[in-house]
Amino acid sequence: MTSRIPFVGGNWKMNLMRREVGELVRGVSSAVADSRVECAVYPSFVYLPDAIAAASAGLSVGGQDCSDELRGAFTGQVSAGMLKDIGCSSVLIGHSERRHGLGESDALISRKLGRALDAAVMPVLCVGETLAHRESGVAHAIIESQLRASLAGHSEAALARLVIAYEPVWAIGTGRTASADDASEAHDTIRRTLAVLYTARFSEAIRVIYGGSVTAKNAADLFSREAIDGGLIGGASLVAADFAQIIAAASARVRR
Ligand code: PEP
């Protein structure tokens, strides 16, 4: 098994009110306590300070997005520097609900990645194909092109703490999960692309996690694969007991 430390993220999207955020953060904090995973939760921007205050030392809190700008007249945006300033250690970049829902381009995502790196906030870069891409046999080409374009201009040294989330769009929030075989193949494509763009050593060190309808039931199967270093979890991360089981499944990678 790999020496990469598993990473599990809970993307809470536009869910949960303040009291619920506090309760869930406390629940996840105890689940993480005896695990061997790195775990982060991504609440709404407005509840980040509450989440940070409630989180145990083993649980980090991050932003669901950041601006591609440093500062200035950008109404409604939040900079990577602001996330860092309040104690966020990571940020999701290029989530499909922003790529496909809001039309974010690879060029924009690449600039956001740069801002996160400059602010020393660990980027969790999301890539993944649509159902049409998969059905027409171009899924792997799409993943490779998203990676190439998003990483363009960023050096291996700057990207040392990068996490990549493979999130097939057709599996997000749909209850349809990629099979462990399909996810592993996509992760292999990601690693091959990283090795071409950078070095084999870099490609082996970077964590590649899977996201798309991961549940307490299917997590162990997915995380039993060498190529799958953990998960980015949406719906199932909103239920403390389910998320705890997913964290335990990722933690089992280390004990083997
Ligand atoms: C996500 O939003 O990144 C995600 C994977 O959601 P879900 O687990 O609900 O499919």
Side-chain angles (χ1 to χ4, degrees):
M1 257 295 159
T2 165
S3 58
R4 295 182 295 268
I5 298 168
F7 182 87
V8 177
N11 179 8
W12 293 350
K13 311 188 184 188
M14 201 171 72
N15 292 301
L16 308 175
M17 302 302 273
R18 190 179 199 177
R19 183 182 50 77
E20 298 165 308
V21 167
E23 282 169 11
L24 192 50
V25 165
R26 282 186 287 279
V28 178
S29 291
S30 36
V32 170
D34 30 75
S35 81
R36 303 184 191 196
V37 305
E38 217 178 287
C39 184
V41 291
Y42 300 91
S44 156
F45 282 134
V46 294
Y47 299 131
L48 286 171
D50 298 282
I52 290 165
S56 64
L59 176 65
S60 68
V61 177
Q64 294 177 13
D65 181 45
C66 69
S67 175
D68 64 320
E69 299 287 351
L70 190 57
R71 69 173 68 82
F74 303 102
T75 303
Q77 297 205 41
V78 172
S79 73
M82 290 169 176
L83 293 177
K84 181 73 179 179
D85 188 39
I86 63 158
C88 288
S89 33
S90 63
V91 61
L92 305 180
I93 293 181
H95 189 277
S96 89
E97 284 150 19
R98 302 199 64 89
R99 272 183 195 273
H100 301 284
L102 299 173
E104 291 196 356
S105 66
D106 283 323
L108 177 68
I109 289 164
S110 180
R111 290 196 302 275
K112 290 185 175 195
L113 184 61
R115 293 299 180 196
L117 296 173
D118 288 349
V121 177
M122 183 180 94
V124 178
L125 173 66
C126 307
V127 296
E129 80 284 0
T130 63
L131 188 58
H133 291 140
R134 180 150 286 267
E135 288 178 346
S136 56
V138 297
H140 289 238
I142 291 293
I143 295 165
E144 184 179 334
S145 91
Q146 287 175 344
L147 270 182
R148 283 181 177 272
S150 311
L151 297 177
H154 302 300
S155 72
E156 177 170 328
L159 292 168
R161 294 183 61 235
L162 173 72
V163 171
I164 295 177
Y166 166 58
E167 297 215 302
V169 180
W170 49 269
I172 298 178
T174 60
R176 272 185 78 179
T177 314
S179 69
D181 281 348
D182 285 346
S184 286
E185 279 172 20
H187 287 215
D188 289 345
T189 293
I190 291 169
R191 260 183 230 295
R192 265 197 307 278
T193 306
L194 294 178
V196 170
L197 293 176
Y198 301 101
T199 60
R201 192 172 160 173
F202 176 75
S203 129
E204 272 310 303
I206 291 299
R207 286 169 299 179
V208 183
I209 62 176
Y210 168 78
S213 299
V214 177
T215 63
K217 281 209 175 93
N218 62 26
D221 180 36
L222 288 159
F223 301 163
S224 69
R225 300 305 180 98
E226 166 83 25
I228 304 178
D229 297 314
L232 183 57
I233 322 298
S237 71
L238 296 170
V239 179
D242 289 359
F243 199 37
Q245 282 188 55
I246 292 169
I247 291 167
S251 190
R253 285 175 67 77
V254 180
R255 296 203 177 96
R256 244 185 298 263

